[in-house]
Each structure stands twice: as structure tokens, then as C-alpha cells.
Amino acid sequence: MKTKTYAGIPEELAKLETAKIVLIPVPYDGTSTWQKGADKGPDAFLDASENMELYDIETSSEVYQQGVFLADPVTENASPEAMVEAVHQATKKYIKKNKFVTVFGGEHSVSIGTIRAFNEMFDDITVLHIDAHADLRESYEGSTCNHACAVYEASQTTNLIQVGIRSMDIIEKTVMDEEKTYFAHEMAVDDSWMDSAIDQMTDNVFITFDLDAFDPSIMPSTGTPEPGGLLYYETLEFLKQVFEEKNVVGFDIVELCPNENEKSSDFLAAKLYYKMLSYKFRDQNIEDGFESNFNDSNNSGNKKSKFDTEDDY
């Protein structure tokens, strides 16, 4: 990573000891199957963030003053499985430090690791999956850690809500819970989808946001663009409502595939990330401490995961 601090914020606001927010970059693009370049996403996002004004008009806040620690990037790429485990362990490490943990990919397979960590550390979690693609294949091209499998594990172990879906393989219908899936063509003609989706969420929500959920007219720089996607303000309206009504415990943003000649997508990703932080912390004073509600006794009962390994902190 070229950037010294997130968005160029002062170093005193970027220290792990005092920052409430942790940002983990994961520059990985090992399993994408069409356009390559998502491994360049974190750098493009950070570069755009450095050129972004840090006062959020809507919330009348400067959320960076809550402190944002830019963690070392997860660069493990020996295999998709090794990358997922490295992301899982890095994410869990910072959750245990009582931080609001965020991840920026990279392709969507990185979310297998982030979701695994949040599911282990928080009780009764909903995964809100905002995406053009269902990503529900059990395995693809010989791996269960392929980008096409990004939320299969979540479908088996969490309360999975899918929003914006408009591309899938028929085999995914055998896994999908269509009552908790909001297809783009239905959302376009029925504005009750926001309330309906939120009503199906548990109190603790983790958001995984694939940027190809947006319409390619506003987000062309992604690996697998699909027509008929979300627009910016309807997306913010939904996210604001989720943050207001639920305890969002963390989020990741994935699948920025930067184009040297098209910078608006990088900037949209930067603004989306900052806006989500602004919604999370809009009612919290800078002087107040951050209290996560993670469950540190997560190694008992049904929270014991077959994926657990020894943590080294």
C-alpha cells in the first residue's frame, strides 16, 4: 500500500491504540474469471480517499476524527484457501481488540474470511449481501473459496439476506432462500423491499457489499458489471435505514477493478466507505469509547467452528 494513513488523516488519528475503526486492505484477485484487476482495488480506493473532502454534509460529521487505523494489507496468495484463512485470522484479531472492523478487497472471495470471523465473534448474525450475483455455488473451478462461492458458507451458517441479485446459475436455486432474496427486477417495481429486507434481519448485521451491485452507468470499473443495478441515493437510503435500525457490526467492500482512464468508480467506492462509517458513528461523540458487543466466549456451543485455528495475537 502506498498510503501512509487512511485518507491522509493525521497520524494521531491513525494509531491502533486510540482508533475506533480498523481498515484491512486485501489486494487479492486469484479466482476472478473475467476481468482481472481487483487486486489493484485497495490502492485505487485509498488514493481516491486521499482526495476526498472529509466533512459529510448529510450527517454533519467528520467521522475520521473517530480514528481510523490502516492495517497492513493481507497479501497471502498461495491459494484461495490460504488467503481466506489469513483474512479470517486478521479480521478476528482486530475484532478482539474491540474495534469496528472493515475490509476492502480484492475480489469477493475475501468475504468468506471476513464473514467467518464475524460469525464466530458475534451472536445471531445476519449477513446482508448486496450484489449483482448470487455467489452461492458450493465450489467453483475446484475450490470452495472461489469468488462465485462468496456467500455459500454464510447461507449455511448465518441469516443471509441478498439484495440486488440479477445474475445466477440455476444450480444456486437449490441453495437460495428466495424469501430472503431481493431480485433487482422486483426491486425496480416494488419499493417495499427495503422495509421487508430489514424486517428479516437479526439485531447484529454484517454487510458485504460487492460494487457490481451498482448499475454500471455509475460503477463501470468492476470485474463483472451487470445492467439494471442500484443507483447511489437509493442505496444510501437503504444503508442509512439499516444502520439506524440494526447494530451493524462491520462491513466489507469488494470488486473494485480500477481503470486508469475512469476514476469516478474509485471515488464512488471511497465515498461509499466513508458514508457507511458516517452512518455508523453519526450519534457517537468523538470522546466516547467504542464498545463492540462481540462474544469472547465464542469457542463454546454452536459457535465452535471447524475452521478455528490457534490465534497468535
Side-chain angles (χ1 to χ4, degrees):
M1 297 291 111
K2 305 170 189 172
T3 310
K4 195 170 184 181
T5 66
Y6 164 72
I9 65 175
E11 288 191 19
E12 60 267 24
L13 295 174
K15 295 178 180 177
L16 178 60
E17 296 75 21
T18 54
K20 298 177 187 177
I21 300 153
V22 168
L23 167 58
I24 307 172
V26 187
Y28 180 78
D29 192 24
T31 76
S32 59
T33 47
W34 188 25
Q35 298 182 89
K36 291 288 188 179
D39 56 325
K40 308 295 192 302
D43 266 337
F45 157 76
L46 288 168
D47 183 56
S49 299
E50 268 200 279
N51 292 282
M52 178 180 66
E53 292 179 299
L54 296 178
Y55 171 69
D56 181 70
I57 299 170
E58 180 188 8
T59 60
S60 188
S61 68
E62 295 177 300
V63 69
Y64 76 91
Q65 294 191 26
Q66 304 281 356
V68 184
F69 173 71
L70 179 59
D72 290 335
V74 175
T75 56
E76 175 61 65
N77 63 2
S79 69
E81 293 75 17
M83 177 278 298
V84 164
E85 182 56 22
V87 172
H88 168 214
Q89 294 299 334
T91 304
K92 195 156 74 166
K93 175 177 76 172
Y94 290 113
I95 293 172
K96 286 186 172 182
K97 293 182 182 294
N98 197 40
K99 304 298 182 181
F100 184 76
V101 181
T102 63
V103 174
F104 196 96
E107 55 156 87
H108 211 164
S109 58
V110 308
S111 301
I112 301 171
T114 59
I115 293 168
R116 194 176 289 176
F118 277 92
N119 189 35
E120 289 176 4
M121 297 303 297
F122 291 87
D123 293 326
D124 197 19
I125 197 166
T126 289
V127 171
L128 171 57
H129 173 220
I130 305 175
D131 198 333
H133 305 91
D135 288 350
L136 285 171
R137 289 174 171 89
E138 185 173 2
S139 66
Y140 192 67
E141 296 191 335
S143 175
T144 59
C145 294
N146 188 282
H147 73 106
C149 314
V151 295
Y152 173 79
E153 187 178 305
S155 76
Q156 305 300 298
T157 60
T158 75
N159 178 47
L160 178 66
I161 309 288
Q162 299 188 275
V163 168
I165 308 302
R166 54 195 189 275
S167 179
M168 61 185 288
D169 188 271
I170 193 168
I171 193 67
E172 294 173 283
K173 291 190 74 172
T174 63
V175 177
M176 175 178 280
D177 184 344
E178 293 192 40
E179 290 299 312
K180 295 181 178 179
T181 303
Y182 296 85
F183 294 104
H185 71 278
E186 296 171 340
M187 293 161 57
V189 297
D190 183 358
D191 60 9
S192 68
W193 67 268
M194 295 188 193
D195 290 336
S196 175
I198 292 170
D199 286 345
Q200 297 200 76
M201 296 176 193
T202 55
D203 287 341
N204 290 332
V205 176
F206 174 81
I207 302 172
T208 180
F209 198 115
D210 186 326
L211 290 166
D212 66 29
F214 285 118
D215 191 80
S217 63
I218 64 168
M219 173 52 71
S221 296
T222 187
T224 47
E226 289 280 349
L230 290 162
L231 297 178
Y232 189 63
Y233 281 108
E234 67 176 324
T235 303
L236 292 190
E237 181 184 352
F238 178 52
L239 289 172
K240 179 167 65 174
Q241 200 171 333
V242 174
F243 276 94
E244 285 175 350
E245 298 186 28
K246 300 296 177 180
N247 176 39
V248 177
V249 297
F251 64 83
D252 67 31
I253 298 176
V254 297
E255 296 284 358
L256 175 64
C257 188
N259 178 342
E260 186 61 35
N261 299 315
E262 195 281 297
K263 295 295 188 182
S264 64
S265 294
D266 305 352
F267 204 76
L268 190 159
K271 292 287 282 190
L272 176 69
Y273 177 85
Y274 199 71
K275 181 66 78 169
M276 291 171 75
L277 291 184
S278 298
Y279 288 154
K280 174 64 182 178
F281 289 90
R282 68 183 304 170
D283 296 323
Q284 296 194 31
N285 294 324
I286 294 167
E287 300 78 18
D288 295 341
F290 176 71
E291 285 299 325
S292 174
N293 66 332
F294 73 88
N295 180 5
D296 205 19
S297 60
N298 64 305
N299 287 330
S300 62
N302 63 8
K303 297 301 282 187
K304 179 67 175 177
S305 169
K306 67 180 179 181
F307 304 103
D308 281 347
T309 57
E310 290 298 314
D311 297 330
D312 180 20
Y313 303 128

